[in-house]
Amino acid sequence: MNSLNISKAVELRRDLHKNPEVSNEETWTKARLMAFLKMHTQLEIVDRGAWFYAVYTSERPNGKLAFRADIDAIRMDETLEIPHASINPGVSHKCGHDGHAAALACFALEVDEKGCDNDVFFIFQHAEETGDGAKVCASLMKERKIDAIFAFHNMSGMEKNAVYVIDGTSHFASKGMSLYMKGKPSHASQPELGINPAFAIAEIIGKIPAWCQPEKNRGLVLCTVIQIDVGEKAFGVSASTGVLRLTIRAQYEDEMDRLENAIAEYAHDLCKDQGMALDITYTDSFPETSNHKDSSDKIRAVCKAQGIRLVEMQEGFRASEDFGYYLKETSGAIFYIGNGMDYPPIHTHLYDFPDDCIERAVAVFKGLAGMKA
């Protein structure tokens, strides 16, 4: 592997870390990545507005492969005293998307320099953290007839630079669910003259354990109470409005859908019986990310050929990942590279993407593309 390309990628990664942008606001990030590829490669670059992709066209392609990196940051203060610390208050790359993007850019340099027997699409995707990005970008799979797509995520609590993989569910499906209820106010001394949503909300919460019973589901199903907001601080008034916010999550997407329907139907029946209006909204929707075995097997084969330590995961992550949208459209898989067993967890103040993870990611990507490491 070209050590100069690694050095360029590390410099890029630190620049991205210094200038983080949250989901759907990645204007500078996108421009910086596009400029990097224009400066260092001859790849075709296609601007799609909020996101972009680059293309290597092979003279004799065996197939069409895509590789994806997410580029957004999260809302969290940077507290580390490092040269490349975030200069944007309240925003930082605490999930490692700066490293994902830099690794994909480095891979692009390698493909452009050494060639490949496949057409290769390098997707730089916005808004992974909110689940918005892949939903849009996944259309490229059918549009360009992509045979398979791959991605990686760095993970703490995993052996340093080992590659982890699993068949089937690698990330649970999830979505935020907000139930808005509107009843009728009354004086607190005459609650029977009003309609207070607190009781309906309490009944819904009381049903959660039954909906999530393990014996009723194939996989793990979770419903987490996020917020309860009923009435206001007015002790003379019986509450008439309320909202219940839940995160629903499941190992299998169909079981999350079943949970969602059960909650919605029960809430509608309660509100109808009690004379309340109900409105339900959703946010941060993520599909189940389910690796295709043929693609997971390719990751295994690459690791074996390169002598990379491979660990078989016994279960997927409860946390969601929007890469699942791509896997609904074509074959593919996401794998994980360990930051170290005791490395600070992602989404915490002490975390910073480990630069040596870039070389490992590029090596696996090159193997999947049919190139020599």
Side-chain angles (χ1 to χ4, degrees):
M1 192 176 301
N2 189 331
S3 60
L4 182 58
N5 288 342
I6 296 294
S7 297
K8 290 176 181 176
V10 170
E11 181 182 357
L12 172 65
R13 200 284 295 182
R14 295 182 180 183
D15 201 18
L16 294 174
H17 187 99
K18 191 174 183 178
N19 297 273
E21 295 170 306
V22 296
S23 300
N24 294 306
E25 297 180 15
E26 305 97 324
T27 306
W28 182 92
T29 304
K30 176 192 163 195
R32 177 70 173 88
L33 287 163
M34 290 178 69
F36 179 88
L37 293 178
K38 287 177 181 178
M39 177 180 293
H40 298 296
T41 76
Q42 298 298 313
L43 299 175
E44 176 191 1
I45 297 175
V46 182
D47 189 342
R48 297 293 289 264
W51 60 288
F52 78 97
Y53 66 93
V55 185
Y56 170 82
T57 303
S58 177
E59 292 182 0
R60 293 179 298 276
N62 293 320
K64 295 184 177 183
L65 301 177
F67 297 82
R68 169 273 216 169
D70 34 21
I71 67 174
D72 51 336
I74 64 172
R75 296 191 185 280
M76 178 178 282
D77 288 324
E78 176 77 89
T79 60
L80 294 175
E81 295 183 2
I82 51 178
H84 53 281
S86 169
I87 62 173
N88 295 337
V91 183
S92 57
H93 270 292
K94 294 300 179 181
C95 198
H97 295 183
D98 53 341
H100 299 171
L104 186 62
C106 185
F107 174 47
L109 265 59
E110 290 281 308
V111 173
D112 181 68
E113 180 182 300
K114 299 171 183 177
C116 184
D117 291 334
N118 290 289
D119 289 344
V120 183
F121 296 77
F122 308 87
I123 301 171
F124 293 85
Q125 179 210 301
H126 64 302
E128 186 281 327
E129 293 291 342
T130 59
D132 298 330
K135 188 185 301 184
V136 174
C137 302
S139 62
L140 189 67
M141 301 302 99
K142 293 290 177 65
E143 181 182 322
R144 300 301 296 263
K145 297 181 173 60
I146 304 297
D147 297 310
I149 184 168
F150 297 93
F152 87 98
H153 204 297
N154 74 106
M155 282 292 179
S156 302
M158 289 182 165
E159 186 179 328
K160 179 72 173 176
N161 277 334
V163 171
Y164 290 67
V165 72
I166 191 172
D167 296 330
T169 301
S170 52
H171 291 273
F172 284 24
S174 70
K175 66 173 61 176
M177 189 174 185
S178 296
L179 296 89
Y180 297 89
M181 301 179 190
K182 185 175 182 180
K184 187 172 91 172
S186 69
H187 194 282
S189 67
Q190 296 178 300
E192 70 278 7
L193 299 182
I195 303 173
N196 191 323
F199 302 102
I201 289 174
E203 286 192 56
I204 293 169
I205 293 171
K207 288 278 288 184
I208 290 175
W211 285 321
C212 298
Q213 284 180 6
E215 56 269 24
K216 291 185 177 180
N217 299 287
R218 302 192 324 278
L220 184 62
V221 175
L222 299 168
C223 180
T224 305
V225 176
I226 301 301
Q227 184 185 31
I228 304 168
D229 188 1
V230 180
E232 55 187 281
K233 191 177 179 180
F235 293 96
V237 180
S238 178
S240 62
T241 60
V243 59
L244 171 62
R245 292 189 171 89
L246 307 167
T247 295
I248 57 175
R249 187 182 305 274
Q251 184 174 358
Y252 302 111
E253 192 170 344
D254 64 319
E255 294 194 327
M256 182 187 73
D257 294 340
R258 189 171 68 194
L259 173 62
E260 175 192 334
N261 291 334
I263 294 170
E265 288 176 10
Y266 190 69
H268 276 113
D269 289 344
L270 282 175
C271 289
K272 183 178 180 181
D273 291 345
Q274 296 178 24
M276 289 189 293
L278 173 67
D279 185 37
I280 302 177
T281 63
Y282 299 93
T283 189
D284 292 0
S285 296
F286 292 86
E288 167 195 348
T289 296
S290 183
N291 284 346
H292 296 245
K293 189 178 188 310
D294 61 330
S295 294
S296 296
D297 283 343
K298 290 177 183 175
I299 294 167
R300 295 180 177 101
V302 167
C303 289
K304 183 177 180 180
Q306 296 187 15
I308 296 172
R309 165 102 166 121
L310 179 79
V311 180
E312 296 286 349
M313 295 168 57
Q314 299 305 304
E315 58 183 7
F317 292 100
R318 294 187 184 185
S320 299
E321 158 67 65
D322 73 354
F323 191 68
Y325 283 113
Y326 298 101
L327 302 184
K328 290 177 180 291
E329 303 298 331
T330 192
S331 182
I334 186 169
F335 61 94
Y336 311 90
I337 299 177
N339 297 329
M341 300 302 293
D342 299 319
Y343 200 81
I346 60 174
H347 286 223
T348 66
H349 290 290
L350 296 178
Y351 170 84
D352 181 31
F353 182 90
D355 287 328
D356 55 359
C357 191
I358 292 174
E359 186 169 358
R360 173 67 83 220
V362 175
V364 177
F365 280 170
K366 288 178 68 175
L368 291 168
M371 300 171 62
K372 290 183 179 179

